[in-house]
Amino acid sequence: MTTGSSDTTVHTMKKWLRGGLFTLAGLQTFVSLWQYVFSRSFYDNFPTVELDPPYNQHLVSDVGGLGLALCATLYIAAVTLDNKVALTSLVGYLVYVATHFLFHVTHFDNFSLLEAGGVGTGLGIEVVLALLLLYVVRLIQRAEAPAVAAR
């Protein structure tokens, strides 16, 4: 049997999880749609991308399509708030953003200090937010575990 306080805590954590999942999905949707639909514009206009290797429309649009697939899983997780779906979508998203972060922080050769700091910070925030949301999912699982065991 759960207590009112426990139910309130789980409800609050689920609100934060939903908000975080929608935030990640929204940000990823913006970038992925830009990459997929307007790949040349993304390459020419997204800050620091012009510092990367030469433009390849196929590569940029494929990355955009993969990003949209991640968005779909994040949106589904945010709507359903199913712990397994949230865990799966966040782990997939974390693998993507962590490897993206790792690539960029090891390839700052042509970047100014300000550009490197901006890219590193922006991409690092995505990694930290995904890790925090994974922690929230774990807290929700722990809080709901006694309720499941009591049924």
Side-chain angles (χ1 to χ4, degrees):
M1 188 170 201
T2 62
T3 65
S5 175
S6 176
D7 289 343
T8 302
T9 301
V10 169
H11 180 72
T12 300
M13 287 189 291
K14 284 189 173 192
K15 285 173 86 173
W16 279 102
L17 177 61
R18 177 173 277 144
L21 288 165
F22 273 127
T23 298
L24 291 178
L27 292 169
Q28 189 63 47
T29 298
F30 172 75
V31 173
S32 296
L33 278 173
W34 190 3
Q35 289 171 319
Y36 187 75
V37 178
F38 304 106
S39 55
R40 185 67 207 205
S41 170
F42 178 84
Y43 181 81
D44 289 339
N45 299 303
F46 195 87
T48 71
V49 171
E50 75 275 0
L51 301 173
D52 290 332
Y55 174 69
N56 179 322
Q57 181 180 5
H58 180 205
L59 179 61
V60 174
S61 64
D62 279 357
V63 169
L66 290 170
L68 290 171
L70 282 174
C71 293
T73 66
L74 291 167
Y75 282 121
I76 291 168
V79 170
T80 66
L81 281 183
D82 179 274
N83 291 335
K84 289 179 183 175
V85 175
L87 179 67
T88 303
S89 67
L90 285 168
V91 167
Y93 181 78
L94 182 61
V95 168
Y96 169 68
V97 296
T99 56
H100 188 203
F101 172 79
L102 182 62
F103 174 84
H104 279 287
V105 298
T106 59
H107 292 85
F108 282 146
D109 300 340
N110 298 323
F111 287 51
S112 70
L113 183 58
L114 182 62
E115 290 166 335
V119 169
T121 301
L123 296 176
I125 288 170
E126 292 176 325
V127 172
V128 170
L129 184 54
L131 288 169
L132 287 172
L133 291 174
L134 281 168
Y135 179 68
V136 170
V137 171
R138 184 64 186 131
L139 291 176
I140 292 169
Q141 288 174 326
R142 284 185 181 167
E144 291 179 339
V148 172
R151 289 184 193 166

